Amino acid sequence: MKKIFLTVVAITVCSVAMAQSAKECLEKAKECFNSNKIPEAVQWVRKGAEQGDAEGQFYLAACYERGNGVPQDFAEAAKWYRKAADQGHVYAQSALGSYYYAGCGVEKNITEALNLMLKAADKGFPQAQYNLGVYYMETSNYDEALKWTKKAADQGYVNAYYNMACLYDQGHGVTPDLTEALKWYRMAAAQGHLMAIHNIGSFYLNGKGVTQDHTEAVKWFRKAAEQGFPESQFNLGVSYETGDGVTQDYAEAAKWYRKAADQGHIFAQNNLGMCYKQGHGVPQDFAEAVKWFRLAAERGLSIAQGNMGNCYKNGEGVPKNQAEAEKWYRLADQSRARERK
């Protein structure tokens, strides 16, 4: 009797759970997510989604997109985003628009992507407004780009701040205005946008829209470099190598070149190779120099290809080999011709 009683109770509990509203299912899901009970959370999300709740459908799509509690599956994510989008869910419309734009989980369809983004953007969703701005920037329709980017920026969307700066910086859709560009870069930088932080440093480095100030440039490059931005790490390395804005320090230069080079920064790889060749900031090591020159040379950097030629010509880090040297010199000439175009 005891066994039968337990079975009846289990069935009763299950029936109650199935009868819960979509809203209650999502509340349960949130509790589970907050308790890091991810598989159980997804079960509750699915219950809500299968009852036709747009919010549940959106969250289930997001779970499939991220592989959160379920195997990552972009096609399945697109399916659930579509269900939510068809009910007017703006987040889902924006997300599905991005899927169609990239051909992720669905066949690429720019017309459908723009249709979905526009639906969300017209309802004031800043990410969709920003995405429309990006599309129009990429297609050189700068008037539309400015319109949609400004709408997103007016809602505090940080990437839109950055793109507004770029439009004013390059004079796309507006009269070029470096002061206005710098204003938008500073707004993006205040929210931690690394490219904006770097670009402010470049403005000070080159005296672009501001009085040239190497010390101020280094300050901004350091902010981004310390957060792992490779272009700023490279520029900080150059500053330490040349002594512009900081006390010249070859060891610091090599340190920052290495950080950028380890992230694949092609100019940093070449410069780190030169540090090893000259023994600047690191022990002189021709073999190590060749290693870094080669990484940049094989990706088509002309100066690194020339350096490889010199190493083979002089037998530095590699056996002397005139034929190999001439090969690298030819490649360097070809790369320079491409770079001039």
Side-chain angles (χ1 to χ4, degrees):
M1 288 295 292
K2 187 175 182 181
K3 183 177 182 180
I4 294 171
F5 175 74
L6 288 174
T7 303
V8 171
V9 170
I11 292 172
T12 303
V13 170
C14 183
S15 299
V16 170
M18 289 295 290
Q20 287 179 299
S21 69
K23 181 179 179 181
E24 290 171 327
C25 289
L26 291 182
E27 288 301 320
K28 287 282 189 182
K30 289 176 184 177
E31 290 175 13
C32 293
F33 275 124
N34 291 336
S35 302
N36 205 32
K37 298 175 182 177
I38 305 302
E40 188 178 346
V42 174
Q43 289 177 13
W44 284 109
V45 169
R46 188 182 300 278
K47 287 179 188 292
E50 289 175 346
Q51 291 182 50
D53 181 76
E55 195 77 359
Q57 291 164 345
F58 170 76
Y59 283 123
L60 185 57
C63 288
Y64 277 110
E65 178 176 292
R66 300 167 188 166
N68 197 4
V70 289
Q72 190 176 53
D73 187 332
F74 293 116
E76 193 69 11
K79 181 186 88 173
W80 287 103
Y81 278 141
R82 168 61 72 183
K83 290 179 183 291
D86 286 346
Q87 295 190 67
H89 194 288
V90 292
Y91 286 69
Q93 288 170 338
S94 180
L96 188 59
S98 297
Y99 271 39
Y100 275 107
Y101 189 76
C104 177
V106 291
E107 187 174 343
K108 186 169 183 172
N109 186 328
I110 300 299
T111 301
E112 182 65 7
L114 293 177
N115 177 52
L116 286 159
M117 289 180 193
L118 189 58
K119 285 181 178 179
D122 279 340
K123 293 173 186 172
F125 188 54
Q127 186 172 340
Q129 294 168 338
Y130 166 78
N131 286 344
L132 279 174
V134 170
Y135 167 75
Y136 286 118
M137 286 177 75
E138 290 177 348
T139 54
S140 301
N141 186 341
Y142 295 117
D143 289 340
E144 283 294 300
L146 180 66
K147 180 182 93 173
W148 288 108
T149 304
K150 182 66 162 57
K151 286 179 182 289
D154 285 343
Q155 295 192 68
Y157 197 75
V158 62
N159 288 338
Y161 290 163
Y162 176 77
N163 281 8
M164 284 295 295
C166 292
L167 290 168
Y168 277 104
D169 190 353
Q170 297 160 15
H172 287 158
V174 290
T175 303
D177 187 332
L178 296 179
T179 301
E180 190 70 10
L182 185 59
K183 180 193 85 173
W184 287 105
Y185 281 139
R186 287 189 187 278
M187 289 171 68
Q191 294 194 41
H193 194 292
L194 295 181
M195 182 65 85
I197 294 170
H198 173 80
N199 283 4
I200 294 171
S202 295
F203 270 42
Y204 279 106
L205 177 67
N206 298 308
K208 186 177 176 181
V210 291
T211 302
Q212 189 177 49
D213 187 332
H214 290 287
T215 302
E216 190 70 8
V218 166
K219 181 187 87 173
W220 287 98
F221 289 144
R222 191 183 304 280
K223 284 183 180 182
E226 288 176 346
Q227 295 180 69
F229 193 66
E231 195 68 32
S232 290
Q233 292 171 336
F234 170 73
N235 282 10
L236 193 55
V238 172
S239 297
Y240 274 109
E241 184 173 10
T242 60
D244 290 326
V246 288
T247 303
Q248 189 176 52
D249 187 328
Y250 291 131
E252 277 294 297
K255 181 186 87 172
W256 288 107
Y257 284 147
R258 184 182 302 280
K259 287 179 183 291
D262 283 343
Q263 295 191 68
H265 193 288
I266 193 168
F267 290 99
Q269 290 171 339
N270 177 75
N271 284 20
L272 183 58
M274 191 59 69
C275 288
Y276 277 107
K277 181 175 182 177
Q278 298 174 336
H280 282 177
V282 290
Q284 190 175 52
D285 186 331
F286 292 120
E288 191 70 8
V290 167
K291 182 187 92 171
W292 289 104
F293 288 148
R294 190 183 301 278
L295 283 171
E298 289 177 346
R299 292 170 60 197
L301 185 65
S302 61
I303 190 170
Q305 291 167 335
N307 286 336
M308 284 296 296
N310 292 338
C311 289
Y312 275 106
K313 179 182 179 180
N314 300 320
E316 295 173 334
V318 287
K320 273 190 178 183
N321 187 325
Q322 188 61 31
E324 192 70 10
E326 289 174 2
K327 180 194 87 172
W328 283 109
Y329 289 144
R330 283 195 302 274
L331 287 172
D333 287 340
Q334 292 167 9
S335 296
R336 276 191 289 271
R338 285 194 299 272
E339 292 163 3
R340 283 194 293 268
K341 290 182 180 178

